[in-house]
Amino acid sequence: MAGAFDLGGGILDVRAHGQGLINDTFLVTADSGQRVILQRINRHVFPEPARIMANLRILSEHVRKRQAGGKSAPELRLPGIIPARDGKDFAVDARGGFWRAMHFIDNTITLTAITGKAQAEEVGFALGRFHALTHDLDPARLHETLPGFHNAPMYFARFLRASARPRVSAASRELLYCLDFVETRRGLTRVLETAKRKGQLRMSVIHGDTKLNNFLFDANTGRAVSLIDLDTVQPGLIHYDIGDCLRSCANPAGESPGDPASARLDLDISQAILERYFAETRGFLTHDDRDYIYDAIHLIPFELGLRFFTDHLEGDHYFKTDRPGQNLHRAMTQFALTLSVEKNEGKIRSLVGKL
Ligand code: GN1
Ligand code: MG
């Protein structure tokens, strides 16, 4: 499929790339030395992948205009689309697989864990700059690429259906723990959707998947230079992105530690991320936005735990797994993180207030 795209010559090498749980990702090197990211979009997850590409066109054009006129090179780059030979922004294979190619951003690295304040500040900068670049792009111009994504009450309803008819037989101690954990937090799932309905929070353009390995850092300077994985760029609440970013970046144990109980929210990392984030977004964040930051940091790990747990109950058809029970383990990890957020509620709220 790499040959379906115009890479300015023949293809030297194609290899699997990255750690995504949804799409299939390859790094392609052309004869010319040019490197591109080739992906098959997961059609089970994204019902209409062409919408992703339509959104990316609108986003790129908007960001290009915003960054044009700047004297120096843009501080945050987004990967550009490489059109297929027939001029479309994607290519479909004989079995209906949906493929697209994007520029590979050279001389960058991803991190598996944040190890210091400077890295955390870079993450805050990149997310804040992304929101600053898109806050004047009308979200209504974008398609919903994943309907209901980050709609926690919808995930909860789905969990109720799955737990009524689980496709796993063994009721392990972990499974019973997760059932109880979710059932005692039923009300939590509504917090952001209710604020949206009341008009306290408004729709914006969001990234949708602000986990640590979607931030690219310059290999020499360590500066965050790009935010990748733009499939879930769509209308949403910036709170989803903020919550997801802290969920992923401020938990030093990561998403798959040996012991789920080691997951926790690190307050120093959280502070450094939020401080830089606010510095970038001060001009347009409202009081209501600020008042729901804690709720976002609380909800999003819970929501992801709920999504992993539901996938476990449904027989692992959404997130890629390489062993049985992996989604249950992932859920336990996110629930441990949720618990750590709850224990630190007072500190997190006063941190946000102070910043
Ligand atoms: C999925 O495939 P990846 O790693 O980019 C998921 C995110 C989760 C993440 C957890 C479309 O993202 O929502 O936070 O796994 N993406 C989708 O690792 O469901
Ligand atoms: Mg993703």
Side-chain angles (χ1 to χ4, degrees), residues 156 159 162-164 166 171-185 309 313 328 335:
F156 189 77
F159 155 77
S163 60
S172 61
R173 201 160 43 86
E174 284 84 3
L175 191 139
L176 295 175
Y177 174 84
C178 287
L179 281 177
D180 182 62
F181 195 90
V182 171
E183 270 156 15
T184 51
R185 283 165 184 78
F309 186 38
L313 295 169
L328 182 61
F335 292 155

Side-chain angles (χ1 to χ4, degrees), residues 19-23 45-46 146 149-150 208-209 211 214 229 232 244 247 255 304 307-308 318-319:
Q19 293 99 34
L21 302 186
I22 307 289
N23 298 325
V45 169
F46 294 100
L146 239 180
F149 192 52
H150 290 307
D209 191 7
K211 63 196 245 188
N214 285 335
D229 187 1
T232 45
D244 204 30
R247 174 196 74 71
E255 275 180 34
L304 183 60
R307 294 171 61 202
F308 283 142
Y318 186 96
F319 295 103

